[in-house]
Amino acid sequence: MTYSDAGVDVDAGNAFVEAIAPLAAKSARKGVMGAIGGFGALFDPKAAGFDDPVLVAATDGVGTKVKIAIDTGRHDTIGIDLVAMCVNDLVVQGAEPLFFLDYFACAKLEPAVAKAVVSGIARGCELAGAALIGGETAEMPGLYSGADYDLAGFAVGAAERGNLLPRQDMKSGDCLIGLASSGAHSNGYSLIRRIVADQNLTWDEPAPFASDTSLAEAFIAPTRIYVQPLLKAIRETGAIKALAHITGGGLSENIPRVLPPELAARIDLTQIDVPALFGWLAQAGQMETMELLRTFNLGIGMVLVCAPDEAGALISHLENSGETARVIGALKASGTGERVAFTGALGDGP
């Protein structure tokens, strides 16, 4: 018997590595040493321009959003999600993403599908300014079945010692600025898929909340990568005290992760411009407000903390970089221990 008889095609795997090498090369940046395909990948932080760097690492996946890509045959942007979920976690610590590695696991390697996925990963790396310097492709028949595959990503960034976020000068009264998301990003998709199934809808049907687009197009939209605008704002304004990436757990669970124990967040829900897709999910799933707030980003993909007298200039700077930004709340004393308080009602604002 051969390994191929057991369902693993080594030759196809080798051919795939050769096919994606040009995609990885497009993301090259200063600091990369060697080429893809070795036993390990090398990177020189000094060549990337750092004098005394602290390395910051993050790993994540795409979750069950990947199932929509599989079911609809839309594989070219799911790799952007993979990169985004990792590099957005780096930049909130003040780190510049340096390089990225991916892990692609499947039952049987389909070269066209895998190349589409990696093309998205390479595009995400370009958007983040990170180099795709390696990865792993694994055929595992018996563990995965049919056309199923899964993804994991690993990113490493760096910041000069002393420039890490969050800063220690946050205080009561500081402003919370929200940056608009590009949709559901990569969180809550087990619930999204359940709601779509319970409504007896298919992914190619027009979205009930946007008749000019399909459900698949609305929910496969890739996670926004905030790296370049935020790095520019950190370096050019000096105004950002902390950043929170709004992922699983929503506003209620992610903002406290960057706050000291004595501070809490007060969010004005009327200042959040909730995209129509979340309104539909709330109605179709009969979801209560607090469940929405801890499951989805509701249109806010990133939250910044700054002094109130610097909020206007920081918002202008971010808008000049293509972001949509708005003050959505402020910091307050934590008092009895409540970490996030909400005022107003969703849908009553802009």
Side-chain angles (χ1 to χ4, degrees):
M1 294 183 68
T2 66
Y3 208 179
S4 180
D5 293 332
V8 178
D9 191 335
V10 175
D11 292 334
N14 292 336
F16 174 64
V17 171
E18 294 181 9
I20 64 173
L23 298 175
K26 291 175 63 177
S27 68
R29 54 160 296 163
K30 290 182 178 179
V32 174
M33 301 172 63
I36 196 169
F39 284 104
L42 306 177
F43 192 94
D44 181 1
K46 186 171 286 292
F50 289 89
D51 295 321
D52 185 19
V54 174
L55 297 181
V56 183
T59 183
D60 211 335
V62 181
T64 59
K65 186 175 185 177
V66 74
K67 188 64 175 171
I68 301 177
I70 294 167
D71 290 346
T72 64
R74 298 170 180 263
H75 307 286
D76 57 338
T77 62
I78 201 72
I80 298 177
D81 287 287
L82 183 66
V83 175
M85 296 303 290
C86 295
V87 297
N88 285 341
D89 279 355
L90 295 183
V91 76
V92 299
Q93 296 173 89
E96 174 186 339
L98 301 178
F99 57 85
F100 189 87
L101 299 97
D102 69 278
Y103 176 76
F104 179 95
C106 59
K108 178 177 175 57
L109 183 65
E110 296 292 344
V113 171
K115 186 175 181 179
V117 171
V118 175
S119 70
I121 294 172
R123 176 57 181 155
C125 287
E126 289 182 72
L127 292 171
L132 177 58
I133 62 173
E136 171 70 6
T137 302
E139 284 186 289
M140 294 187 283
L143 185 58
Y144 295 92
S145 61
D148 285 348
Y149 62 82
D150 197 14
L151 303 171
F154 310 87
V156 173
E160 293 291 358
R161 196 177 303 273
N163 290 343
L164 291 167
L165 295 178
R167 285 166 27 186
Q168 302 304 306
D169 59 342
M170 286 182 283
K171 59 185 179 181
S172 181
D174 280 348
C175 281
L176 296 173
I177 296 173
L179 298 187
S181 68
S182 56
H185 284 185
S186 297
N187 300 106
Y189 273 81
S190 293
L191 179 56
I192 290 170
R193 291 169 49 246
R194 171 69 179 272
I195 290 173
V196 169
D198 285 352
Q199 294 294 306
N200 295 313
L201 296 171
T202 60
W203 293 111
D204 59 355
E205 290 184 60
F209 48 85
S211 59
D212 60 342
T213 188
S214 69
L215 271 174
E217 290 168 336
F219 285 111
I220 205 72
T223 305
R224 189 167 183 82
I225 294 177
Y226 298 97
V227 169
Q228 296 301 330
L230 286 178
L231 286 177
K232 192 170 187 287
I234 290 169
R235 292 164 178 169
E236 295 182 3
T237 72
I240 297 177
K241 296 184 178 185
L243 292 164
H245 183 199
I246 309 305
T247 55
L251 293 165
S252 60
E253 295 185 15
N254 284 290
I255 296 176
R257 296 169 68 181
V258 301
L259 301 181
E262 67 272 14
L263 292 175
R266 182 178 64 252
I267 304 292
D268 182 356
L269 295 180
T270 68
Q271 294 305 304
I272 298 178
D273 191 4
V274 182
L277 67 88
F278 294 114
W280 177 77
L281 288 169
Q283 181 274 326
Q286 299 182 340
M287 298 181 66
E288 297 181 355
T289 297
M290 288 309 300
E291 185 66 19
L292 282 168
L293 286 166
R294 66 180 304 204
T295 304
F296 301 117
N297 66 60
L298 297 183
I300 301 295
M302 189 74 68
V303 172
L304 297 71
V305 179
C306 72
D309 60 352
E310 294 184 302
L314 180 55
I315 287 173
S316 295
H317 190 284
L318 291 162
E319 289 178 340
N320 288 337
S321 295
E323 299 300 321
T324 299
R326 174 184 288 126
V327 174
I328 62 169
L331 296 185
K332 63 171 188 172
S334 58
T336 59
E338 183 181 47
R339 304 310 308 279
V340 181
F342 297 99
T343 62
L346 290 170
D348 288 349

